[in-house]
């Protein structure tokens, strides 16, 4: 009996872990996620639509930046998501490494392209905003550069995953890479204070006295929540497909396939 | 354990000195890359002094990058690495020994040669001194972080390009703080902040990188 089986048996005697293993079993995940996806998807769509309308038409005009500031309703949530998804990826990867839960590996690898897409979106919207504001598409400011590095980290992660043929080994190698890359997340976050160059400082997280007006904050938070739910939806859809593919030889998958034919 | 640690250092150093190209090639590469910039940009004293710190650092970074094949590859090919995994000693300690040797044969010669390159790039004496200090603090970080990446790709056939994709983004903080320190000392500003950051980052990497590397090796050799 190898070490992996021993941890599993040990874990299964604990009721909490038993529940987690039960929920994380591919079959149950497939069933539950199938029920969750429509709810999450519709909620995400509603929030993003309401948030965009509120942000684009009802939020007041900024006294300095005019109407062009409105891109923050996409830019800021996308930038938040880019970091959030990397954290999810690293956490899921760590869970997969430590407790050998396959589902965590699937979630980590399904998250990578979504995270890369959000990072790209944050960079593009930032540069569209930067052109009228700073007079340049790109400036070598600390925060922008850190976001670009984050994109590189995502690309490296995906390249490593593609290079290793065995999916189990790929998941474990990628988990290690993601955990190492997490060092970069605080550097992104604190880079504003460290280098303090062109990018404006954070305006939302100062909870005691946010320097953003409530009428702008509401659509921003709606969009942020909408983006989170969108991510949850897409990651579940991707993970479902991967689970189905990985379990293709199991009887429950064959049943589903037969039902649909 | 100390015995294993030091005998591994001795063995790897002996191997490196038998294949002198392992020591000399990264160094030549470093010197040649730095030489290309005056040819490509301009031999003007002012321009070179301005871009010199960054160029020397980027060249050091690339040289260390290209020398990682020597870290695990031959031991992987002949099965030594597998025996290290099976040995009774903690893998992270053995890995640390290998990383130290990698730094001694690639990072250390670069530090020795850096004053020469600093002089041809018209850096001031203070800046050259800072350059050496940043290299002393920074090149071990490069070896430590690179070892993680190398451990991840060692089992792959064409790992070289992938290694640079994985590792170069992680090198960026070192590059920023080091070349910033050298630039600041050219301008006569205080550099203690940058050096403290590099020192802290070095300690952090010494503590954690060997563990991550050995975890990665276990995955690669499964």
């Amino acid at each position: 009996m190898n070490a992996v089986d021993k941890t599993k048996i040990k874990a299964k005697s604990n009721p909490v872990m038993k529940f987690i293993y039960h929920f994380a079993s591919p079959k149950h995940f497939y069933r539950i996620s199938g029920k969750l996806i429509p709810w999450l998807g519709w909620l995400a769509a509603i929030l993003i639509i309401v948030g965009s309308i509120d942000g684009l038409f009802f939020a007041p005009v900024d006294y300095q930046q005019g109407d062009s500031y409105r891109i923050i309703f996409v830019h800021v949530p996308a930038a938040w998501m880019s970091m959030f998804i990397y954290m999810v990826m690293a956490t899921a990867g760590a869970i997969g490494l430590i407790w050998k839960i396959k589902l965590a590996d699937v979630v980590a690898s399904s998250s990578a392209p979504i995270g890369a897409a959000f990072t790209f979106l944050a960079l593009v919207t930032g540069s569209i905003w930067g052109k009228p504001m700073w007079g340049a598409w790109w400036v070598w400011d600390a925060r922008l550069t850190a976001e670009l590095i984050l994109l590189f980290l995502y690309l490296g992660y995906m390249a490593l995953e593609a290079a290793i043929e065995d999916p189990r080994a790929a998941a474990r190698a990628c988990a290690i890479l993601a955990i190492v890359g997490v060092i970069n997340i605080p550097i992104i976050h604190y880079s504003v204070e460290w280098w303090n160059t062109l990018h404006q400082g954070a305006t939302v997280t100062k909870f005691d006295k946010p320097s953003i007006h409530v009428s702008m904050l509401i659509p921003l938070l709606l969009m942020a929540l909408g983006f989170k739910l969108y991510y949850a939806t897409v990651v579940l859809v991707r993970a479902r497909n991967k689970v189905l593919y990985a379990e293709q030889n199991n009887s429950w998958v064959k049943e589903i396939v037969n039902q649909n034919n | 354990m100390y015995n294993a640690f030091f005998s591994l250092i001795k063995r790897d150093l002996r191997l490196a000195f038998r294949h002198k190209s392992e020591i000399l090639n990264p160094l030549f590469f470093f010197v040649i890359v730095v030489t290309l910039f005056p040819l490509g940009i301009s031999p003007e004293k002012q321009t070179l002094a301005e871009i010199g710190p960054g160029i020397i650092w980027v060249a050091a970074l690339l040289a260390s990058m290209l020398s990682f094949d020597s870290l695990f590859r031959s031991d992987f090919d002949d099965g030594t690495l597998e025996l290290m995994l099976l040995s009774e000693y903690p893998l992270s300690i053995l890995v640390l020994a290998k990383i130290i040797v990698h730094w001694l044969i690639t990072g250390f010669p670069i530090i020795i040669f850096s004053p020469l390159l600093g002089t041809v790039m018209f850096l001031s004496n203070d800046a050259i001194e800072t350059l050496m200090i940043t290299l002393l603090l920074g090149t071990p970080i490069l070896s430590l972080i690179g070892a993680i990446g190398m451990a991840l790709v060692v089992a792959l056939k064409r790992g070289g390009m992938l290694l640079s994709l994985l590792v170069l983004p992680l090198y960026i903080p070192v590059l920023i703080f080091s070349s910033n320190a050298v630039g600041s000392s050219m301008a006569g500003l205080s550099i203690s902040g940058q050096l403290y950051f590099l020192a802290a980052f070095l300690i952090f990497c010494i503590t954690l990188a060997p563990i991550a590397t050995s975890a990665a090796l276990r995955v690669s050799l499964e």
Side-chain angles (χ1 to χ4, degrees), chain A residues 94-138:
Chain A
I95 291 172
L97 265 186
I98 297 165
W99 288 290
K100 322 277 174 206
I101 297 177
K102 272 188 219 155
L103 186 61
D105 293 339
V106 173
V107 167
S109 79
S110 316
S111 296
I114 312 171
F118 273 119
T119 316
F120 186 68
L121 184 65
L123 284 168
V124 169
T125 50
S127 116
I128 294 171
W129 178 85
K131 183 64 187 164
M133 289 301 128
W134 296 334
W137 293 109
W138 180 261

Side-chain angles (χ1 to χ4, degrees), chain A residues 12-219:
Chain A
K12 278 190 175 164
S13 56
N14 171 340
V16 178
M17 288 309 283
K18 206 172 160 184
F19 173 77
I20 291 172
Y21 273 107
H22 180 73
F23 173 75
S25 79
K27 190 179 168 185
H28 282 88
F29 168 75
Y30 189 83
R31 198 170 53 83
I32 294 167
S33 61
K35 285 182 185 153
L36 278 175
I37 284 170
W39 288 95
L40 292 171
W42 279 108
L43 216 57
I46 292 167
L47 280 170
I48 290 173
I49 291 168
V50 172
S52 322
I53 293 174
D54 192 6
L56 292 181
F57 298 106
F58 295 105
V61 175
D62 187 82
Y63 79 100
Q64 260 185 331
Q65 305 182 359
D67 272 326
S68 26
Y69 91 94
R70 289 182 198 278
I71 203 163
I72 65 155
F73 297 119
V74 177
H75 171 68
V76 174
W80 283 344
M81 288 310 290
S82 67
M83 288 181 259
F84 173 77
I85 294 177
Y86 204 92
M87 291 302 291
V88 171
M89 238 166 65
T91 316
I95 291 172
L97 265 186
I98 297 165
W99 288 290
K100 322 277 174 206
I101 297 177
K102 272 188 219 155
L103 186 61
D105 293 339
V106 173
V107 167
S109 79
S110 316
S111 296
I114 312 171
F118 273 119
T119 316
F120 186 68
L121 184 65
L123 284 168
V124 169
T125 50
S127 116
I128 294 171
W129 178 85
K131 183 64 187 164
M133 289 301 128
W134 296 334
W137 293 109
W138 180 261
V139 287
W140 285 99
D141 155 75
R143 241 183 176 190
L144 271 76
T145 315
E147 191 72 11
L148 187 65
I149 300 169
L150 186 63
L151 182 64
F152 293 158
L153 286 177
Y154 275 117
L155 296 180
Y157 182 99
M158 291 194 287
L160 183 65
E161 195 188 16
I164 303 176
E165 272 166 34
D166 173 30
R168 289 288 296 151
R172 297 181 58 197
C174 285
I176 294 171
L177 182 68
I179 294 166
V180 171
V182 153
I183 302 165
N184 192 54
I185 301 275
I187 295 180
I188 291 178
H189 227 89
Y190 294 107
S191 56
V192 187
E193 281 105 289
W194 284 352
W195 294 306
N196 198 21
T197 47
L198 263 176
H199 197 287
Q200 64 182 83
T203 43
V204 177
T205 45
K206 287 183 275 175
F207 276 115
D208 45 338
K209 190 172 169 283
S211 44
I212 180 170
H213 192 261
V214 176
S215 54
M216 296 180 187
L217 187 61
I218 289 172

Side-chain angles (χ1 to χ4, degrees), chain A residues 97 145 149 152-153 155-157 159-160 163-166 168-170 172-174 176-177 180-181 183-184 187 194-195, chain B residues 145 148-149 152-153 156 162 165-167 169-170 172-173 176-177 180 197 201 204 212-213 215-220 222:
Chain A
L97 265 186
T145 315
I149 300 169
F152 293 158
L153 286 177
L155 296 180
Y157 182 99
L160 183 65
I164 303 176
E165 272 166 34
D166 173 30
R168 289 288 296 151
R172 297 181 58 197
C174 285
I176 294 171
L177 182 68
V180 171
I183 302 165
N184 192 54
I187 295 180
W194 284 352
W195 294 306
Chain B
I145 295 179
I148 305 174
L152 287 171
V153 302
L156 304 174
L162 186 60
L165 285 181
L166 302 185
V167 167
L170 301 172
I172 290 170
I176 288 174
F177 279 96
N180 188 277
F197 175 85
F201 201 38
F204 185 68
T213 309
L217 279 178
R218 284 186 204 282
V219 172
S220 286
E222 219 163 50

Side-chain angles (χ1 to χ4, degrees), chain B residues 132-164:
Chain B
M132 289 186 78
I133 297 171
T134 56
L135 282 169
L136 192 64
L137 289 169
T139 45
I141 303 179
L142 304 183
S143 295
L144 286 158
I145 295 179
I148 305 174
M150 191 61 216
L152 287 171
V153 302
V154 68
L156 304 174
K157 280 195 192 73
R158 284 184 300 274
M161 198 61 178
L162 186 60
L163 176 68
S164 40

